[in-house]
Amino acid sequence: MDTRTELLRQAEKLFAQRGYDAVGVQEIVDAASVTKPTLYHYFGSKRGLLETILGDEFHFFNQLLREAAYYQGDLPLTLRKIAIVFFEGARRNPVFFRLQLALWFAPRASEGFQVVEKYHREQFDLVEKVFTQAVVQHGNMRGKQRALAASFIGTLHHYVGLGLNDYATLDAQLVEQVIKQFQHGIYS
């Protein structure tokens, strides 16, 4: 494994285990068996390292989400596809998912939140667009698109958190349960 990749791997692992703010540059370079100048050469700073970790992972994840959120007039199907992307993403890379969720729920002024915010905004915009498009078939949702997007993403994040902590299994059965529960509320 090359030095840059090892720095990314060790930093992601440490950030996910203990939180971005709790991990220092020295600890990262020690875990990767390199020196501080090596980290600064590749990433410029600890923040640059975090931006690279998140940028690489979110680029892949948000592309899958864009494809899943392509609305074709079937809201339950689209929501199911979105849920599958979240659950499969968490199963595929639990370290990243734990890290990005921790950063999303960090204080707004924190460096970690500031780095992750743009990626979560992109996700929110994609899901909100689905609900906006669905208003044509489901007029009762008009004016509620933002709240519905926030509720749906929040539900998915909650279940992902449960899955990461072994309180739930992120499988097809849970996808169906989540969609059924969510639909019951939005169609009434």
Side-chain angles (χ1 to χ4, degrees):
M1 187 175 303
D2 68 81
T3 301
R4 183 179 185 280
T5 302
E6 183 63 11
L7 276 164
L8 290 167
R9 190 175 73 77
Q10 292 298 331
E12 183 179 37
K13 183 175 80 173
L14 288 167
F15 294 158
Q17 286 174 344
R18 298 210 346 269
Y20 174 75
D21 292 329
V23 177
V25 170
Q26 187 63 53
E27 188 174 358
I28 297 165
V29 298
D30 287 349
S33 300
V34 298
T35 62
K36 284 182 182 181
T38 303
L39 183 143
Y40 297 133
H41 166 75
Y42 285 113
F43 306 105
S45 64
K46 179 180 161 185
R47 181 183 180 132
L49 179 60
L50 180 64
E51 288 171 346
T52 302
I53 291 167
L54 295 180
D56 291 350
E57 289 295 331
F58 270 117
H59 176 75
F60 177 73
F61 181 80
N62 284 357
Q63 179 56 40
L64 294 174
L65 185 58
R66 259 187 296 289
E67 293 167 11
Y70 181 71
Y71 184 71
Q72 296 180 24
D74 187 339
L75 185 58
L77 176 63
T78 305
L79 296 179
R80 189 172 291 106
K81 288 179 180 179
I82 291 168
I84 289 168
V85 167
F86 272 81
F87 289 5
E88 285 181 358
R91 284 196 319 261
R92 180 184 62 79
N93 194 342
V95 173
F96 165 72
F97 255 79
R98 185 176 300 284
L99 170 60
Q100 60 94 15
L101 284 176
L103 295 171
W104 180 239
F105 291 105
R108 187 168 184 78
S110 71
E111 190 170 78
F113 178 87
Q114 292 169 10
V115 173
V116 82
E117 181 180 25
K118 67 182 174 184
Y119 301 109
H120 279 266
R121 288 258 177 239
E122 180 182 354
Q123 290 176 2
F124 182 85
D125 291 345
L126 289 167
V127 175
E128 182 182 24
K129 184 178 177 183
V130 168
F131 286 107
T132 299
Q133 292 170 327
V135 164
V136 173
Q137 290 91 17
H138 307 283
N140 65 317
M141 294 188 305
R142 188 175 316 283
K144 302 175 190 173
Q145 299 94 308
R146 290 186 65 76
L148 291 169
S151 295
F152 188 62
I153 291 171
T155 299
L156 296 177
H157 283 165
H158 177 75
Y159 279 105
V160 165
L162 290 173
L164 292 173
N165 289 323
D166 297 324
Y167 289 105
T169 302
L170 302 174
D171 59 10
Q173 182 178 347
L174 185 58
V175 167
E176 293 308 314
Q177 178 185 332
V178 168
I179 300 306
K180 182 178 178 182
Q181 288 172 343
F182 192 77
Q183 283 178 212
H184 181 71
I186 65 174
Y187 292 140
S188 57

PDB file of all heavy atoms in Angstrom, residues 8 23 27 36 40 43 47 74 88 91 93 96 99-100 104 117 121 125-126 130 132 146 157-158 160 172 180 184:
ATOM      1  N   LEU A   8      -4.566   8.017   4.440  1.00  0.00           N
ATOM      2  CA  LEU A   8      -6.021   8.129   4.334  1.00  0.00           C
ATOM      3  C   LEU A   8      -6.716   7.048   5.161  1.00  0.00           C
ATOM      4  O   LEU A   8      -7.669   7.330   5.900  1.00  0.00           O
ATOM      5  CB  LEU A   8      -6.463   8.027   2.870  1.00  0.00           C
ATOM      6  CG  LEU A   8      -6.115   9.206   1.973  1.00  0.00           C
ATOM      7  CD1 LEU A   8      -6.330   8.848   0.507  1.00  0.00           C
ATOM      8  CD2 LEU A   8      -6.925  10.431   2.363  1.00  0.00           C
ATOM      9  N   VAL A  23      -8.462  13.529  17.457  1.00  0.00           N
ATOM     10  CA  VAL A  23      -7.285  12.893  16.858  1.00  0.00           C
ATOM     11  C   VAL A  23      -6.318  13.973  16.379  1.00  0.00           C
ATOM     12  O   VAL A  23      -6.699  14.877  15.642  1.00  0.00           O
ATOM     13  CB  VAL A  23      -7.698  11.981  15.677  1.00  0.00           C
ATOM     14  CG1 VAL A  23      -6.478  11.385  14.996  1.00  0.00           C
ATOM     15  CG2 VAL A  23      -8.637  10.891  16.157  1.00  0.00           C
ATOM     16  N   GLU A  27      -0.680  11.541  15.969  1.00  0.00           N
ATOM     17  CA  GLU A  27      -1.263  10.207  16.096  1.00  0.00           C
ATOM     18  C   GLU A  27      -1.501   9.573  14.722  1.00  0.00           C
ATOM     19  O   GLU A  27      -1.274   8.380  14.519  1.00  0.00           O
ATOM     20  CB  GLU A  27      -2.581  10.303  16.867  1.00  0.00           C
ATOM     21  CG  GLU A  27      -3.173   8.977  17.216  1.00  0.00           C
ATOM     22  CD  GLU A  27      -4.400   9.099  18.102  1.00  0.00           C
ATOM     23  OE1 GLU A  27      -4.790  10.217  18.484  1.00  0.00           O
ATOM     24  OE2 GLU A  27      -4.977   8.040  18.404  1.00  0.00           O
ATOM     25  N   LYS A  36       5.264  13.972   9.964  1.00  0.00           N
ATOM     26  CA  LYS A  36       4.333  15.069   9.718  1.00  0.00           C
ATOM     27  C   LYS A  36       4.561  15.726   8.358  1.00  0.00           C
ATOM     28  O   LYS A  36       3.591  16.005   7.642  1.00  0.00           O
ATOM     29  CB  LYS A  36       4.411  16.115  10.828  1.00  0.00           C
ATOM     30  CG  LYS A  36       3.736  15.699  12.109  1.00  0.00           C
ATOM     31  CD  LYS A  36       3.810  16.818  13.137  1.00  0.00           C
ATOM     32  CE  LYS A  36       3.174  16.414  14.445  1.00  0.00           C
ATOM     33  NZ  LYS A  36       3.233  17.502  15.437  1.00  0.00           N
ATOM     34  N   TYR A  40       1.734  16.621   5.433  1.00  0.00           N
ATOM     35  CA  TYR A  40       1.554  17.974   4.883  1.00  0.00           C
ATOM     36  C   TYR A  40       1.864  18.017   3.391  1.00  0.00           C
ATOM     37  O   TYR A  40       1.227  18.771   2.655  1.00  0.00           O
ATOM     38  CB  TYR A  40       2.409  18.977   5.656  1.00  0.00           C
ATOM     39  CG  TYR A  40       2.016  19.082   7.122  1.00  0.00           C
ATOM     40  CD1 TYR A  40       2.965  19.052   8.128  1.00  0.00           C
ATOM     41  CD2 TYR A  40       0.673  19.201   7.497  1.00  0.00           C
ATOM     42  CE1 TYR A  40       2.605  19.140   9.470  1.00  0.00           C
ATOM     43  CE2 TYR A  40       0.306  19.286   8.830  1.00  0.00           C
ATOM     44  CZ  TYR A  40       1.269  19.255   9.808  1.00  0.00           C
ATOM     45  OH  TYR A  40       0.905  19.342  11.122  1.00  0.00           O
ATOM     46  N   PHE A  43      -1.431  16.412   1.843  1.00  0.00           N
ATOM     47  CA  PHE A  43      -2.752  16.962   2.148  1.00  0.00           C
ATOM     48  C   PHE A  43      -2.742  18.408   2.635  1.00  0.00           C
ATOM     49  O   PHE A  43      -3.805  19.007   2.740  1.00  0.00           O
ATOM     50  CB  PHE A  43      -3.458  16.075   3.175  1.00  0.00           C
ATOM     51  CG  PHE A  43      -3.524  14.639   2.741  1.00  0.00           C
ATOM     52  CD1 PHE A  43      -2.698  13.691   3.319  1.00  0.00           C
ATOM     53  CD2 PHE A  43      -4.387  14.244   1.722  1.00  0.00           C
ATOM     54  CE1 PHE A  43      -2.739  12.369   2.914  1.00  0.00           C
ATOM     55  CE2 PHE A  43      -4.432  12.927   1.304  1.00  0.00           C
ATOM     56  CZ  PHE A  43      -3.607  11.992   1.893  1.00  0.00           C
ATOM     57  N   ARG A  47      -7.171  19.184   8.064  1.00  0.00           N
ATOM     58  CA  ARG A  47      -8.425  19.457   7.359  1.00  0.00           C
ATOM     59  C   ARG A  47      -8.347  18.974   5.903  1.00  0.00           C
ATOM     60  O   ARG A  47      -9.296  18.404   5.378  1.00  0.00           O
ATOM     61  CB  ARG A  47      -8.768  20.937   7.406  1.00  0.00           C
ATOM     62  CG  ARG A  47     -10.078  21.240   6.696  1.00  0.00           C
ATOM     63  CD  ARG A  47     -10.407  22.724   6.665  1.00  0.00           C
ATOM     64  NE  ARG A  47     -11.653  22.939   5.978  1.00  0.00           N
ATOM     65  CZ  ARG A  47     -12.634  23.680   6.426  1.00  0.00           C
ATOM     66  NH1 ARG A  47     -12.524  24.296   7.587  1.00  0.00           N
ATOM     67  NH2 ARG A  47     -13.742  23.833   5.724  1.00  0.00           N
ATOM     68  N   ASP A  74     -42.902   6.874  -9.591  1.00  0.00           N
ATOM     69  CA  ASP A  74     -43.199   5.831  -8.603  1.00  0.00           C
ATOM     70  C   ASP A  74     -42.429   6.154  -7.319  1.00  0.00           C
ATOM     71  O   ASP A  74     -41.274   5.779  -7.162  1.00  0.00           O
ATOM     72  CB  ASP A  74     -42.787   4.466  -9.164  1.00  0.00           C
ATOM     73  CG  ASP A  74     -43.208   3.308  -8.269  1.00  0.00           C
ATOM     74  OD1 ASP A  74     -43.452   3.519  -7.063  1.00  0.00           O
ATOM     75  OD2 ASP A  74     -43.271   2.176  -8.788  1.00  0.00           O
ATOM     76  N   GLU A  88     -26.674  -0.176   1.755  1.00  0.00           N
ATOM     77  CA  GLU A  88     -25.533  -0.856   1.132  1.00  0.00           C
ATOM     78  C   GLU A  88     -24.249  -0.058   1.324  1.00  0.00           C
ATOM     79  O   GLU A  88     -23.178  -0.632   1.509  1.00  0.00           O
ATOM     80  CB  GLU A  88     -25.804  -1.113  -0.350  1.00  0.00           C
ATOM     81  CG  GLU A  88     -26.780  -2.235  -0.579  1.00  0.00           C
ATOM     82  CD  GLU A  88     -27.043  -2.530  -2.061  1.00  0.00           C
ATOM     83  OE1 GLU A  88     -26.489  -1.832  -2.944  1.00  0.00           O
ATOM     84  OE2 GLU A  88     -27.818  -3.467  -2.317  1.00  0.00           O
ATOM     85  N   ARG A  91     -23.009  -0.760   4.771  1.00  0.00           N
ATOM     86  CA  ARG A  91     -22.441  -2.111   4.865  1.00  0.00           C
ATOM     87  C   ARG A  91     -21.096  -2.187   4.149  1.00  0.00           C
ATOM     88  O   ARG A  91     -20.172  -2.853   4.616  1.00  0.00           O
ATOM     89  CB  ARG A  91     -23.409  -3.145   4.271  1.00  0.00           C
ATOM     90  CG  ARG A  91     -24.575  -3.469   5.168  1.00  0.00           C
ATOM     91  CD  ARG A  91     -25.304  -4.741   4.764  1.00  0.00           C
ATOM     92  NE  ARG A  91     -25.485  -4.902   3.349  1.00  0.00           N
ATOM     93  CZ  ARG A  91     -26.591  -4.614   2.666  1.00  0.00           C
ATOM     94  NH1 ARG A  91     -27.634  -4.127   3.298  1.00  0.00           N
ATOM     95  NH2 ARG A  91     -26.673  -4.827   1.366  1.00  0.00           N
ATOM     96  N   ASN A  93     -18.915   0.306   3.545  1.00  0.00           N
ATOM     97  CA  ASN A  93     -17.862   1.085   4.179  1.00  0.00           C
ATOM     98  C   ASN A  93     -18.357   1.647   5.517  1.00  0.00           C
ATOM     99  O   ASN A  93     -18.634   2.843   5.637  1.00  0.00           O
ATOM    100  CB  ASN A  93     -17.404   2.215   3.250  1.00  0.00           C
ATOM    101  CG  ASN A  93     -16.108   2.840   3.715  1.00  0.00           C
ATOM    102  OD1 ASN A  93     -15.706   2.678   4.867  1.00  0.00           O
ATOM    103  ND2 ASN A  93     -15.462   3.569   2.837  1.00  0.00           N
ATOM    104  N   PHE A  96     -16.409   4.771   7.036  1.00  0.00           N
ATOM    105  CA  PHE A  96     -16.773   6.055   6.436  1.00  0.00           C
ATOM    106  C   PHE A  96     -18.141   6.519   6.921  1.00  0.00           C
ATOM    107  O   PHE A  96     -18.330   7.696   7.262  1.00  0.00           O
ATOM    108  CB  PHE A  96     -16.761   5.969   4.905  1.00  0.00           C
ATOM    109  CG  PHE A  96     -17.449   7.122   4.244  1.00  0.00           C
ATOM    110  CD1 PHE A  96     -16.862   8.380   4.238  1.00  0.00           C
ATOM    111  CD2 PHE A  96     -18.688   6.971   3.659  1.00  0.00           C
ATOM    112  CE1 PHE A  96     -17.508   9.461   3.652  1.00  0.00           C
ATOM    113  CE2 PHE A  96     -19.338   8.040   3.070  1.00  0.00           C
ATOM    114  CZ  PHE A  96     -18.742   9.295   3.068  1.00  0.00           C
ATOM    115  N   LEU A  99     -17.989   7.868  10.395  1.00  0.00           N
ATOM    116  CA  LEU A  99     -17.289   9.146  10.401  1.00  0.00           C
ATOM    117  C   LEU A  99     -18.183  10.268   9.890  1.00  0.00           C
ATOM    118  O   LEU A  99     -18.333  11.302  10.541  1.00  0.00           O
ATOM    119  CB  LEU A  99     -16.019   9.057   9.537  1.00  0.00           C
ATOM    120  CG  LEU A  99     -15.308  10.384   9.249  1.00  0.00           C
ATOM    121  CD1 LEU A  99     -14.854  11.059  10.528  1.00  0.00           C
ATOM    122  CD2 LEU A  99     -14.138  10.142   8.302  1.00  0.00           C
ATOM    123  N   GLN A 100     -18.801  10.075   8.724  1.00  0.00           N
ATOM    124  CA  GLN A 100     -19.577  11.178   8.157  1.00  0.00           C
ATOM    125  C   GLN A 100     -20.818  11.487   8.990  1.00  0.00           C
ATOM    126  O   GLN A 100     -21.215  12.642   9.095  1.00  0.00           O
ATOM    127  CB  GLN A 100     -19.896  10.937   6.682  1.00  0.00           C
ATOM    128  CG  GLN A 100     -20.685   9.703   6.345  1.00  0.00           C
ATOM    129  CD  GLN A 100     -22.175   9.960   6.256  1.00  0.00           C
ATOM    130  OE1 GLN A 100     -22.616  11.088   6.183  1.00  0.00           O
ATOM    131  NE2 GLN A 100     -22.949   8.892   6.275  1.00  0.00           N
ATOM    132  N   TRP A 104     -21.592  15.075  10.720  1.00  0.00           N
ATOM    133  CA  TRP A 104     -22.846  15.757  10.420  1.00  0.00           C
ATOM    134  C   TRP A 104     -23.547  16.218  11.698  1.00  0.00           C
ATOM    135  O   TRP A 104     -24.177  17.265  11.738  1.00  0.00           O
ATOM    136  CB  TRP A 104     -23.757  14.843   9.607  1.00  0.00           C
ATOM    137  CG  TRP A 104     -25.069  15.478   9.257  1.00  0.00           C
ATOM    138  CD1 TRP A 104     -26.300  15.017   9.582  1.00  0.00           C
ATOM    139  CD2 TRP A 104     -25.286  16.683   8.513  1.00  0.00           C
ATOM    140  NE1 TRP A 104     -27.273  15.856   9.084  1.00  0.00           N
ATOM    141  CE2 TRP A 104     -26.674  16.899   8.425  1.00  0.00           C
ATOM    142  CE3 TRP A 104     -24.419  17.611   7.915  1.00  0.00           C
ATOM    143  CZ2 TRP A 104     -27.226  17.988   7.767  1.00  0.00           C
ATOM    144  CZ3 TRP A 104     -24.976  18.702   7.250  1.00  0.00           C
ATOM    145  CH2 TRP A 104     -26.369  18.879   7.184  1.00  0.00           C
ATOM    146  N   GLU A 117     -20.637  19.362   5.473  1.00  0.00           N
ATOM    147  CA  GLU A 117     -21.931  19.998   5.181  1.00  0.00           C
ATOM    148  C   GLU A 117     -22.280  20.005   3.694  1.00  0.00           C
ATOM    149  O   GLU A 117     -23.411  19.697   3.315  1.00  0.00           O
ATOM    150  CB  GLU A 117     -21.953  21.424   5.731  1.00  0.00           C
ATOM    151  CG  GLU A 117     -23.276  22.113   5.486  1.00  0.00           C
ATOM    152  CD  GLU A 117     -23.323  23.529   6.019  1.00  0.00           C
ATOM    153  OE1 GLU A 117     -22.264  24.166   6.164  1.00  0.00           O
ATOM    154  OE2 GLU A 117     -24.441  24.002   6.265  1.00  0.00           O
ATOM    155  N   ARG A 121     -25.655  18.480   2.099  1.00  0.00           N
ATOM    156  CA  ARG A 121     -26.570  19.385   1.378  1.00  0.00           C
ATOM    157  C   ARG A 121     -26.907  18.807  -0.001  1.00  0.00           C
ATOM    158  O   ARG A 121     -28.045  18.873  -0.443  1.00  0.00           O
ATOM    159  CB  ARG A 121     -25.949  20.761   1.208  1.00  0.00           C
ATOM    160  CG  ARG A 121     -25.871  21.530   2.457  1.00  0.00           C
ATOM    161  CD  ARG A 121     -26.967  22.575   2.529  1.00  0.00           C
ATOM    162  NE  ARG A 121     -26.852  23.223   3.805  1.00  0.00           N
ATOM    163  CZ  ARG A 121     -27.831  23.244   4.691  1.00  0.00           C
ATOM    164  NH1 ARG A 121     -28.975  22.682   4.413  1.00  0.00           N
ATOM    165  NH2 ARG A 121     -27.670  23.818   5.842  1.00  0.00           N
ATOM    166  N   ASP A 125     -30.621  17.899  -1.204  1.00  0.00           N
ATOM    167  CA  ASP A 125     -31.200  18.467  -2.430  1.00  0.00           C
ATOM    168  C   ASP A 125     -31.718  17.380  -3.360  1.00  0.00           C
ATOM    169  O   ASP A 125     -32.787  17.524  -3.971  1.00  0.00           O
ATOM    170  CB  ASP A 125     -30.181  19.341  -3.155  1.00  0.00           C
ATOM    171  CG  ASP A 125     -29.853  20.625  -2.406  1.00  0.00           C
ATOM    172  OD1 ASP A 125     -30.597  20.996  -1.462  1.00  0.00           O
ATOM    173  OD2 ASP A 125     -28.829  21.264  -2.747  1.00  0.00           O
ATOM    174  N   LEU A 126     -30.983  16.275  -3.470  1.00  0.00           N
ATOM    175  CA  LEU A 126     -31.422  15.168  -4.325  1.00  0.00           C
ATOM    176  C   LEU A 126     -32.730  14.558  -3.822  1.00  0.00           C
ATOM    177  O   LEU A 126     -33.645  14.287  -4.599  1.00  0.00           O
ATOM    178  CB  LEU A 126     -30.336  14.088  -4.399  1.00  0.00           C
ATOM    179  CG  LEU A 126     -29.087  14.439  -5.187  1.00  0.00           C
ATOM    180  CD1 LEU A 126     -27.971  13.423  -4.905  1.00  0.00           C
ATOM    181  CD2 LEU A 126     -29.389  14.503  -6.674  1.00  0.00           C
ATOM    182  N   VAL A 130     -36.894  14.696  -5.269  1.00  0.00           N
ATOM    183  CA  VAL A 130     -37.802  13.553  -5.442  1.00  0.00           C
ATOM    184  C   VAL A 130     -39.192  13.918  -4.919  1.00  0.00           C
ATOM    185  O   VAL A 130     -40.206  13.713  -5.605  1.00  0.00           O
ATOM    186  CB  VAL A 130     -37.265  12.291  -4.733  1.00  0.00           C
ATOM    187  CG1 VAL A 130     -38.335  11.198  -4.662  1.00  0.00           C
ATOM    188  CG2 VAL A 130     -36.012  11.789  -5.421  1.00  0.00           C
ATOM    189  N   THR A 132     -40.443  16.883  -4.415  1.00  0.00           N
ATOM    190  CA  THR A 132     -40.992  17.968  -5.224  1.00  0.00           C
ATOM    191  C   THR A 132     -41.611  17.409  -6.505  1.00  0.00           C
ATOM    192  O   THR A 132     -42.711  17.809  -6.904  1.00  0.00           O
ATOM    193  CB  THR A 132     -39.900  19.004  -5.548  1.00  0.00           C
ATOM    194  OG1 THR A 132     -39.425  19.556  -4.309  1.00  0.00           O
ATOM    195  CG2 THR A 132     -40.422  20.120  -6.436  1.00  0.00           C
ATOM    196  N   ARG A 146     -39.498  19.839   1.855  1.00  0.00           N
ATOM    197  CA  ARG A 146     -38.275  19.962   2.671  1.00  0.00           C
ATOM    198  C   ARG A 146     -38.380  19.100   3.930  1.00  0.00           C
ATOM    199  O   ARG A 146     -37.447  18.393   4.292  1.00  0.00           O
ATOM    200  CB  ARG A 146     -38.000  21.418   3.037  1.00  0.00           C
ATOM    201  CG  ARG A 146     -37.559  22.264   1.862  1.00  0.00           C
ATOM    202  CD  ARG A 146     -37.154  23.667   2.260  1.00  0.00           C
ATOM    203  NE  ARG A 146     -35.966  23.706   3.108  1.00  0.00           N
ATOM    204  CZ  ARG A 146     -34.714  23.526   2.678  1.00  0.00           C
ATOM    205  NH1 ARG A 146     -34.466  23.304   1.416  1.00  0.00           N
ATOM    206  NH2 ARG A 146     -33.697  23.593   3.514  1.00  0.00           N
ATOM    207  N   HIS A 157     -30.587   7.754   8.321  1.00  0.00           N
ATOM    208  CA  HIS A 157     -29.413   7.918   9.183  1.00  0.00           C
ATOM    209  C   HIS A 157     -29.603   7.184  10.507  1.00  0.00           C
ATOM    210  O   HIS A 157     -28.670   6.555  11.020  1.00  0.00           O
ATOM    211  CB  HIS A 157     -29.142   9.396   9.450  1.00  0.00           C
ATOM    212  CG  HIS A 157     -28.493  10.103   8.315  1.00  0.00           C
ATOM    213  ND1 HIS A 157     -28.442  11.471   8.242  1.00  0.00           N
ATOM    214  CD2 HIS A 157     -27.858   9.658   7.207  1.00  0.00           C
ATOM    215  CE1 HIS A 157     -27.806  11.833   7.145  1.00  0.00           C
ATOM    216  NE2 HIS A 157     -27.446  10.750   6.501  1.00  0.00           N
ATOM    217  N   HIS A 158     -30.803   7.268  11.050  1.00  0.00           N
ATOM    218  CA  HIS A 158     -31.081   6.597  12.320  1.00  0.00           C
ATOM    219  C   HIS A 158     -30.880   5.081  12.184  1.00  0.00           C
ATOM    220  O   HIS A 158     -30.191   4.458  13.001  1.00  0.00           O
ATOM    221  CB  HIS A 158     -32.512   6.903  12.772  1.00  0.00           C
ATOM    222  CG  HIS A 158     -32.897   6.199  14.019  1.00  0.00           C
ATOM    223  ND1 HIS A 158     -32.446   6.584  15.262  1.00  0.00           N
ATOM    224  CD2 HIS A 158     -33.673   5.100  14.220  1.00  0.00           C
ATOM    225  CE1 HIS A 158     -32.935   5.763  16.177  1.00  0.00           C
ATOM    226  NE2 HIS A 158     -33.679   4.857  15.573  1.00  0.00           N
ATOM    227  N   VAL A 160     -29.183   3.490   9.867  1.00  0.00           N
ATOM    228  CA  VAL A 160     -27.767   3.209   9.603  1.00  0.00           C
ATOM    229  C   VAL A 160     -26.996   3.201  10.917  1.00  0.00           C
ATOM    230  O   VAL A 160     -26.175   2.302  11.169  1.00  0.00           O
ATOM    231  CB  VAL A 160     -27.171   4.220   8.603  1.00  0.00           C
ATOM    232  CG1 VAL A 160     -25.650   4.170   8.612  1.00  0.00           C
ATOM    233  CG2 VAL A 160     -27.693   3.953   7.188  1.00  0.00           C
ATOM    234  N   ALA A 172     -32.653  -6.148   3.102  1.00  0.00           N
ATOM    235  CA  ALA A 172     -33.852  -5.875   2.294  1.00  0.00           C
ATOM    236  C   ALA A 172     -35.108  -5.823   3.158  1.00  0.00           C
ATOM    237  O   ALA A 172     -36.013  -5.024   2.886  1.00  0.00           O
ATOM    238  CB  ALA A 172     -33.987  -6.936   1.206  1.00  0.00           C
ATOM    239  N   LYS A 180     -42.371   1.190   4.280  1.00  0.00           N
ATOM    240  CA  LYS A 180     -43.769   1.033   4.694  1.00  0.00           C
ATOM    241  C   LYS A 180     -44.114   2.034   5.803  1.00  0.00           C
ATOM    242  O   LYS A 180     -45.141   2.710   5.742  1.00  0.00           O
ATOM    243  CB  LYS A 180     -44.020  -0.401   5.169  1.00  0.00           C
ATOM    244  CG  LYS A 180     -45.448  -0.666   5.562  1.00  0.00           C
ATOM    245  CD  LYS A 180     -45.630  -2.114   5.968  1.00  0.00           C
ATOM    246  CE  LYS A 180     -47.067  -2.360   6.408  1.00  0.00           C
ATOM    247  NZ  LYS A 180     -47.263  -3.737   6.855  1.00  0.00           N
ATOM    248  N   HIS A 184     -46.663   5.327   5.250  1.00  0.00           N
ATOM    249  CA  HIS A 184     -47.882   5.424   6.042  1.00  0.00           C
ATOM    250  C   HIS A 184     -48.073   6.866   6.528  1.00  0.00           C
ATOM    251  O   HIS A 184     -49.185   7.377   6.488  1.00  0.00           O
ATOM    252  CB  HIS A 184     -47.837   4.466   7.235  1.00  0.00           C
ATOM    253  CG  HIS A 184     -49.061   4.513   8.070  1.00  0.00           C
ATOM    254  ND1 HIS A 184     -50.265   4.011   7.654  1.00  0.00           N
ATOM    255  CD2 HIS A 184     -49.274   5.047   9.296  1.00  0.00           C
ATOM    256  CE1 HIS A 184     -51.178   4.203   8.592  1.00  0.00           C
ATOM    257  NE2 HIS A 184     -50.608   4.840   9.607  1.00  0.00           N
TER     258      HIS A 184
END
